[in-house]
Amino acid sequence: MSRPEPSHTLPDRSIYLRRESKVRSYCRTMPRQFVKARGPWMYDDQGGRYLDFLSGCSTLNYGHNHPVLKQALIEHIQNDGIAHGLDLHTQAKAEFLHTFDELILEPRGLDYVAMFPGPTGTNAVEAALKLARKVTGRNLVIAFTNGFHGMTLGSLACTGNAAKRQGAGVPLDNVVHEPYDGYHGQGIDTAELLERRLTDGSSGLDAPAAILVETVQGEGGLNVASAAWLRKIAALAKRHGALLIIDDIQAGCGRTGGFFSFEEAGIEPDIVTLAKSLSGLGLPFALTLFRRELDIWNPGEHNGTFRGNNHAFVTATAALRHFWSDGEFAGEVSRRGEYLAERLERMAEAHGLETRGRGMMRGIVLPNGELAAKVTAACFDRGLIIETSGADDEVVKVLAPLNIDDEIFAKGLDIVEECVANVMSEYVEASLEVTK
Amino acid sequence: MSRPEPSHTLPDRSIYLRRESKVRSYCRTMPRQFVKARGPWMYDDQGGRYLDFLSGCSTLNYGHNHPVLKQALIEHIQNDGIAHGLDLHTQAKAEFLHTFDELILEPRGLDYVAMFPGPTGTNAVEAALKLARKVTGRNLVIAFTNGFHGMTLGSLACTGNAAKRQGAGVPLDNVVHEPYDGYHGQGIDTAELLERRLTDGSSGLDAPAAILVETVQGEGGLNVASAAWLRKIAALAKRHGALLIIDDIQAGCGRTGGFFSFEEAGIEPDIVTLAKSLSGLGLPFALTLFRRELDIWNPGEHNGTFRGNNHAFVTATAALRHFWSDGEFAGEVSRRGEYLAERLERMAEAHGLETRGRGMMRGIVLPNGELAAKVTAACFDRGLIIETSGADDEVVKVLAPLNIDDEIFAKGLDIVEECVANVMSEYVEASLEVTK
Amino acid sequence: MSRPEPSHTLPDRSIYLRRESKVRSYCRTMPRQFVKARGPWMYDDQGGRYLDFLSGCSTLNYGHNHPVLKQALIEHIQNDGIAHGLDLHTQAKAEFLHTFDELILEPRGLDYVAMFPGPTGTNAVEAALKLARKVTGRNLVIAFTNGFHGMTLGSLACTGNAAKRQGAGVPLDNVVHEPYDGYHGQGIDTAELLERRLTDGSSGLDAPAAILVETVQGEGGLNVASAAWLRKIAALAKRHGALLIIDDIQAGCGRTGGFFSFEEAGIEPDIVTLAKSLSGLGLPFALTLFRRELDIWNPGEHNGTFRGNNHAFVTATAALRHFWSDGEFAGEVSRRGEYLAERLERMAEAHGLETRGRGMMRGIVLPNGELAAKVTAACFDRGLIIETSGADDEVVKVLAPLNIDDEIFAKGLDIVEECVANVMSEYVEASLEVTK
Amino acid sequence: MSRPEPSHTLPDRSIYLRRESKVRSYCRTMPRQFVKARGPWMYDDQGGRYLDFLSGCSTLNYGHNHPVLKQALIEHIQNDGIAHGLDLHTQAKAEFLHTFDELILEPRGLDYVAMFPGPTGTNAVEAALKLARKVTGRNLVIAFTNGFHGMTLGSLACTGNAAKRQGAGVPLDNVVHEPYDGYHGQGIDTAELLERRLTDGSSGLDAPAAILVETVQGEGGLNVASAAWLRKIAALAKRHGALLIIDDIQAGCGRTGGFFSFEEAGIEPDIVTLAKSLSGLGLPFALTLFRRELDIWNPGEHNGTFRGNNHAFVTATAALRHFWSDGEFAGEVSRRGEYLAERLERMAEAHGLETRGRGMMRGIVLPNGELAAKVTAACFDRGLIIETSGADDEVVKVLAPLNIDDEIFAKGLDIVEECVANVMSEYVEASLEVTK
């Protein structure tokens, strides 16, 4: 792997300082200017090459610029295919719907209808919340500790992170956060705590319109809900007249193996949100899926200018056909996920740490966020792009492309292993110093 | 213009009925399946050709698939240019910022910083609302009657339309709607009404964080705020410690002549939102611009997975260079806007109707929504795509590409003229029948 | 009238400084300690006597300690009559209901049922708001500029005063404030402005559960709604499916002549709130009255520990029997109100000022709040208790007992006249000084 | 005890049906008309006599019409003492403050200032909530499962009961309900659950302005917070910058022994609310007490017409002097509470039931609300007024006067014992029948 040049040779990037808001974030810890990318590799304007274990936060599950997807998109553009179609019928949309029906819904026996709510994950969540409230006539939504669902006001109310929430500038109401699976430790079944309060007519917890949950909390620290817990939550939602919404924006599209992350648990959510890797190429595209009986929308009751992003329909169709025509890809992902688990487990054991996650979204929990940041910085210096998540950003999170070559994957994990080892031994030494 | 075939010969589109939510809307009145588009023309799968006077609700100001933009995008993709970049620095982003700085901000003396809030208009509005509340420490936002600002919860609270608002399922708070310019007729200066209440410590109108306004209300019926009124609103916002947010998502990017629709009024908003035609090709892209002093965001305090849609940066840069390098394009738009005004004025006079709008966003007000729908349906039968807006959908709205060929433009307007004439004479006859 | 002693001879009142919250207010401008009161007179602990033109903000419409009411209460207590009865049936309650039915409701043809919502005005308003929202299934309540309805969260949201609103500490939602009659000057009919927005499906004004209005705004500056305007508001409430709530807490119980202040306008509100002078003796007592068809409460769905304040039932019954058995008292109040109007008019003319109000709640508008405070301070020095109201506290407000002796009333008004004259001539002189 | 006559001989009470709202509740299960009351006895208009184990829900801790209080009040009225004083200084108020200072605050070393927020409990709570939000600049308040704090909008949001909450008609926001002590059973320390979420920056639980808690939940089913738990809550409130508000409206004024119910736990709340038995005679009176440093109110920032209910000041002063001049009364209450505990424990053991409560607020938990209602109905038939509480109204609650004669107390408890026995043996028989 070519090491990037030190930053003093970088070209002038003053345009960012002059014209881009301070809200920018990733570019602060990865101060390079990227020019192209292919598969698991990103390239900067100084000839540096980086292995991408961030994958656009799971938006690039098939790597950058996959040739099959690229080709489909270029052909579409060259033929003057529709780019922007509002919610008009277009060939690209029909093909996407047919393919999604044939390869995803039908084989899984899921009788969902699809809503194009606007092309971002938060659009999908906002539409899901609206629908749940409209269907039930209730206001309250139950979300979970460490959940992340988006940054527009409705979704933000469901997001747990205090720093994000503070940005709202108004109280975030009509949502409460309950403890996620395992939040209070092994002895306490948080689904039972919730059941108790929903059953009690004097608990102060109003009857909810929906329960909104991720099966694995990507931003929240790779916390995993067990299949048993998910089934309990599904059952209690039903019992209390609430809709179950699975936010599968980060964990879906194959990240945990199956196309949907909830397949393993054997549950059928009332509503599902998808986005991130749906287009396959990283183009903005989101879906809200729901049981046919819930489709009580009036025409145009929710909309969005870019809900017909046909470029994304084209690449999404190509991705579904290429990766999801049979079970092979899911099997490969599971295999790679197992390998990832083993490697992380080994690192964890070596330093008395914990691992977290499921499938190809796993990480290792450093003692604190500062150490995790040291690990990712060290990785970046060695040409590996990797990020943290969790309440304290304490989890170093591996989000490699799902179709990454085994050897490259191994080399990337070697870098992680080396950096964790360095950071941890420095940390242990410092601790010993203190206790001397 | 080739007339589209009657619908009974259309191919099977049952996939939409089977798998797409009832929330779909435009496809109901325009039941064709579109396959490609170029310039002002759209083509369906039966060989039908349509002149597009809707332009993706002003998202396609330069027409469909403009060859210069297409070419730039294809090259980018072929070179494995970054597609999805979170908020990392990328070449495409730098070039966009440089170009926007050079061609748009600098010449107008606007010292704004740019925030990439996620790629849809509602993302831009939500970010603007957050920032205004954060900066001022206040909750309340003043929006206006007939305003449209998006469908996520924060933006929806600012939107006037009752049918859209009802979809929220929760009370839409922290926003009040004041009467827009002219709302209460000629005798009443609504800026003065607002000033009176803001000045009065017992009016019940809390000190606002922001005043959010469109210079022309695209969805609300093409109502136009006069320059004088806008200046009054800008002044009173300042006087009362509120930020002025111009939502230029539909009226900006040249639709009214200048790049920003507020240039004519000589005001400098504190915050500006842009989206729709920003990418030029119809790709999802939005910006929130604001005065440098307001940039108090913490890193990542607002974000969005698709805020780095580099394909859109590429086409946006190409569009800026092609259309906005000098004043010629703006001049052309103004000239075409004048022509449009004359044509509509003539129709209006012929039938005792009113016109509304500014620049290249103008329309004719039918006596009611039903008649307007008849006009647009008749136009569609003649191969013209055109839509309505307004509280009762009573305004037939011309949103042609800004660079449309004069002759084609004239022919399209001929269709509108003919359809308005037919519908109105039928209507007048029916009225006479009744009064007989 | 005996002049009160100067304050340096006052006894130690450090207990207030030591143990009473700074939230106290009236005692700051009237720094005496009162020991007893009878009719229109209050007495302090230094032998000072004060004529009371404040009457507990219209809570003491029959003066202090009216002998008939006193006697009834003492007998009740001596006989071990129920003091506190929750909402149990008690003799005192039955007698009150019978009397209220016979003397107030029946003669006016009002088929209201009575709810005892807790003994304070704000309890009555909160109950009214709940009921209106429950009946209509809507959230929004329309209140008016300068309205005052109480300080608990639901009522406070309906109150216009910014200083009071700020105390809430949370956004006050589900209420908007519309301009009251005359708010925007003579040329503008504010009922028409409201009608326009309620009719418009895109105005952003949601369909309201209720319109809440005072016929005369006691705290808001003695603004008077015309009978015609009230009728328009009543009609538009009906047309738009909203309930009309008249808050008659300050203007009712005879203050404007009739028992209810809305009788003159010939309207029949859906809901009426009463409190303040209802008990007659100044004891806590409030009622929420509403049309029989609206009585869809579940048992105990609203309650309050002190909703059965039987002492107040006893004095209220005695007051109704003594003052409201025939029309004589109302006639007397009207006569006195006319006299008050003349006196104030004369003062106003002498100094180029305005008067405001109706019946026995009238005042004179000083150029600003500072001058009004000088007037009331000067009055207090002369043994007259009188207060201000209005957004800027600029209205000197006469709220004398309704049954005040004519001669005493005249003497009190002489003091007001004298003080207004002194303050105004000083003010005019100072103005001349400035302009020299 | 004389048995009341059967209801068919009752006089006409149609006035209630005709003119009182269906919201009435207690009178439904106790369909008598009461005329007088003294000590623990109430008398109806048919000569029936009832022993009162409800005591106005703890508003009549010293029994009805205590002669010392009566005498003080009659004298005050006869002397034309102020009845209604807004927040003017009055002799009655000064005497109350002096007495409260001397007998309650000083001996306990509590440096509180007193606010007269309006005369009902919910006024006191609303003022406490406002102050906590104002002091901290935060919105959220943490309340607890089964908490009851009042029925106006701010307090209602803190109340747990679903039937009460539904009456609001709007979402009740800015409050969350956490599990009370013991809510999730013995193994789970709910203070720790709360601590965990407050400490976690990604829990979705915003930093709270206040934690609002009752030491014993009177309406919620006589649940008791342990001293250890209260100390933990006090500590975590402090740690997280939240104010601790003890709502002592039902449990205070001696009901649990000490004047304040929190004395035993050795905590010093930031804010305390008092009402119910504060006046001693059942007159409306409430106080909000808080640490001197928190007194940042602006004058009049919270108010209420009846905040100066001087009759209540007079009886409250008399009650304090009579009962709280030394520790004797508290000792007597504790002794009686022990006796009550024993009696209830005996009943509970006999039927395999549970008891709940502390001091003189204790009850026995029936298997369900229906059985509890049978017990109270049977008691009423035997001349004993007693009520239920709890989420399902399943707790038969003894709220006898604190100064009740030992023999009468015993006889009343005999009735309870007999009725519980009858109801339980019928229930057990019926159960056996079913299982046969």
Side-chain angles (χ1 to χ4, degrees), chain D residues 50-176:
Chain D
Y50 302 81
L51 183 57
D52 186 3
F53 271 24
L54 174 54
S55 299
C57 300
S58 199
T59 305
L60 296 157
N61 280 357
Y62 316 119
H64 293 266
N65 283 312
H66 190 280
V68 171
L69 280 56
K70 257 178 67 171
Q71 196 45 40
L73 179 56
I74 288 173
E75 271 171 31
H76 181 79
I77 300 172
Q78 278 170 336
N79 291 333
D80 286 328
I82 306 286
H84 178 274
L86 293 167
D87 62 4
L88 291 170
H89 295 332
T90 64
Q91 195 176 15
K93 189 184 218 173
E95 283 170 8
F96 169 74
L97 280 173
H98 271 300
T99 307
F100 194 75
D101 187 22
E102 176 195 337
L103 300 183
I104 305 299
L105 298 180
E106 290 274 352
R108 289 163 181 80
L110 295 167
D111 191 21
Y112 289 145
V113 293
M115 172 182 180
F116 299 81
T120 70
T122 198
N123 291 122
V125 172
E126 294 260 351
L129 298 174
K130 283 185 183 181
L131 185 64
R133 285 164 171 153
K134 185 178 163 79
V135 165
T136 61
R138 300 173 177 177
N139 297 295
L140 187 73
V141 167
I142 292 178
F144 290 91
T145 52
N146 286 295
F148 182 90
H149 303 283
M151 297 293 277
T152 53
L153 210 59
S155 306
L156 184 55
C158 301
T159 292
N161 188 283
K164 309 279 186 225
R165 291 172 67 81
Q166 246 162 343
V170 291
L172 293 168
D173 41 29
N174 295 306
V175 176
V176 292

Side-chain angles (χ1 to χ4, degrees), chain C residues 13 15-16 18-28 30 32-38 42 54 56-57 59-60 65 70 73-74 77-84 86-91 93-94 97-98 101 105-106 110-116 119-120 122-123 126 130 133 139 148 151-154 156 163-164 167-170 173-174 276 281-285 290 292 295 297-303 305-307 309 311, chain D residues 13 15-16 18-28 30 32-38 42 54 56-57 59-60 65 70 73-74 77-84 86-91 93-94 97-98 101 105-106 110-116 119-120 122-123 126 130 133 139 148 151-154 156 163-164 167-171 173-174 276 281-285 290 292 295 297-303 305-307 309 311:
Chain C
R13 288 200 205 103
I15 187 67
Y16 297 110
R18 193 149 45 93
R19 287 295 180 201
E20 191 178 17
S21 163
K22 291 176 182 155
V23 81
R24 64 189 182 276
S25 58
Y26 286 112
C27 54
R28 292 167 184 272
M30 296 183 269
R32 295 297 179 279
Q33 179 159 293
F34 297 93
V35 293
K36 59 179 198 164
R38 182 163 186 120
M42 296 187 77
L54 174 54
C57 298
T59 305
L60 296 158
N65 284 313
K70 258 179 66 172
L73 179 58
I74 288 172
I77 300 172
Q78 278 169 335
N79 292 332
D80 285 328
I82 306 288
H84 178 273
L86 294 168
D87 63 3
L88 291 170
H89 296 333
T90 64
Q91 194 176 16
K93 190 187 219 173
L97 280 173
H98 272 299
D101 186 22
L105 297 180
E106 289 275 352
L110 295 168
D111 192 20
Y112 289 144
V113 293
M115 171 181 179
F116 299 81
T120 70
T122 199
N123 291 123
E126 295 259 352
K130 282 185 183 180
R133 284 164 171 152
N139 297 297
F148 182 90
M151 298 293 277
T152 53
L153 210 58
L156 184 55
K164 308 282 187 221
V170 291
D173 42 28
N174 295 304
K276 292 205 189 276
L281 199 75
L283 306 182
F285 184 18
F290 38 84
R292 186 172 303 284
D295 192 12
W297 287 111
N298 294 322
E301 196 171 358
H302 177 95
N303 63 31
T305 295
F306 296 111
R307 65 197 182 283
N309 183 15
H311 285 194
Chain D
R13 289 201 206 103
I15 187 68
Y16 296 110
R18 194 148 47 92
R19 288 298 180 199
E20 192 179 16
S21 162
K22 291 175 180 153
V23 81
R24 64 190 182 274
S25 57
Y26 287 112
C27 54
R28 293 168 184 269
M30 296 183 269
R32 295 297 179 278
Q33 180 160 292
F34 296 94
V35 293
K36 58 179 197 165
R38 183 164 185 119
M42 296 188 77
L54 174 54
C57 300
T59 305
L60 296 157
N65 283 312
K70 257 178 67 171
L73 179 56
I74 288 173
I77 300 172
Q78 278 170 336
N79 291 333
D80 286 328
I82 306 286
H84 178 274
L86 293 167
D87 62 4
L88 291 170
H89 295 332
T90 64
Q91 195 176 15
K93 189 184 218 173
L97 280 173
H98 271 300
D101 187 22
L105 298 180
E106 290 274 352
L110 295 167
D111 191 21
Y112 289 145
V113 293
M115 172 182 180
F116 299 81
T120 70
T122 198
N123 291 122
E126 294 260 351
K130 283 185 183 181
R133 285 164 171 153
N139 297 295
F148 182 90
M151 297 293 277
T152 53
L153 210 59
L156 184 55
K164 309 279 186 225
V170 291
D173 41 29
N174 295 306
K276 293 204 188 279
L281 200 74
L283 306 181
F285 184 18
F290 37 84
R292 186 173 302 285
D295 192 13
W297 288 111
N298 295 323
E301 196 172 358
H302 177 93
N303 64 31
T305 294
F306 296 111
R307 65 197 181 282
N309 182 15
H311 284 193

Side-chain angles (χ1 to χ4, degrees), chain B residues 12-85:
Chain B
D12 178 34
R13 286 197 208 107
S14 61
I15 187 67
Y16 296 110
L17 295 174
R18 194 149 44 96
R19 287 298 180 199
E20 191 178 18
S21 163
K22 290 174 182 156
V23 80
R24 64 190 182 275
S25 57
Y26 286 112
C27 53
R28 293 167 184 270
T29 49
M30 295 183 268
R32 295 298 179 279
Q33 179 158 293
F34 296 94
V35 293
K36 59 178 199 167
R38 183 164 185 119
W41 301 104
M42 296 188 78
Y43 301 86
D44 72 19
D45 57 5
Q46 303 299 301
R49 191 178 74 158
Y50 303 80
L51 183 57
D52 186 2
F53 271 24
L54 173 53
S55 298
C57 299
S58 200
T59 305
L60 296 157
N61 280 357
Y62 316 120
H64 293 266
N65 283 312
H66 190 279
V68 172
L69 279 57
K70 257 178 68 170
Q71 197 45 40
L73 179 56
I74 289 172
E75 273 171 30
H76 180 80
I77 300 172
Q78 280 170 334
N79 292 334
D80 285 328
I82 306 287
H84 178 274

Side-chain angles (χ1 to χ4, degrees), chain A residues 183-250:
Chain A
Y183 187 80
H184 285 308
Q186 286 299 37
I188 296 181
D189 181 338
T190 60
E192 271 175 32
L193 298 194
L194 179 54
E195 172 72 28
R196 165 85 175 88
R197 287 172 58 213
L198 284 172
T199 307
D200 176 0
S202 195
S203 69
L205 186 62
D206 295 327
I211 300 181
L212 170 64
V213 64
E214 300 158 284
T215 62
V216 185
Q217 296 183 317
E219 297 303 302
L222 296 174
N223 312 301
V224 176
S226 71
W229 187 84
L230 286 172
R231 283 192 293 269
K232 276 187 202 168
I233 294 295
L236 71 81
K238 192 162 202 169
R239 204 152 47 237
H240 295 285
L243 301 186
L244 177 66
I245 308 173
I246 297 287
D247 182 338
D248 225 14
I249 290 173
Q250 184 157 157

Side-chain angles (χ1 to χ4, degrees), chain A residues 18-23 25 37 70 80 87 101 112 114 126 130 151 153 164 276 295 300 305, chain B residues 18-23 25 37 70 80 87 93 101 112 114 126 130 151 153 164 276 295 300 305:
Chain A
R18 193 149 45 93
R19 287 298 180 199
E20 192 178 18
S21 163
K22 291 175 182 156
V23 82
S25 58
K70 259 179 65 171
D80 285 328
D87 62 5
D101 187 21
Y112 289 145
E126 294 260 351
K130 282 185 184 181
M151 297 294 276
L153 210 59
K164 308 282 186 220
K276 292 204 189 278
D295 192 12
T305 294
Chain B
R18 194 149 44 96
R19 287 298 180 199
E20 191 178 18
S21 163
K22 290 174 182 156
V23 80
S25 57
K70 257 178 68 170
D80 285 328
D87 63 3
K93 189 186 218 173
D101 186 23
Y112 289 144
E126 295 259 353
K130 283 184 184 181
M151 297 293 277
L153 210 59
K164 309 280 186 223
K276 293 205 190 275
D295 193 12
T305 294

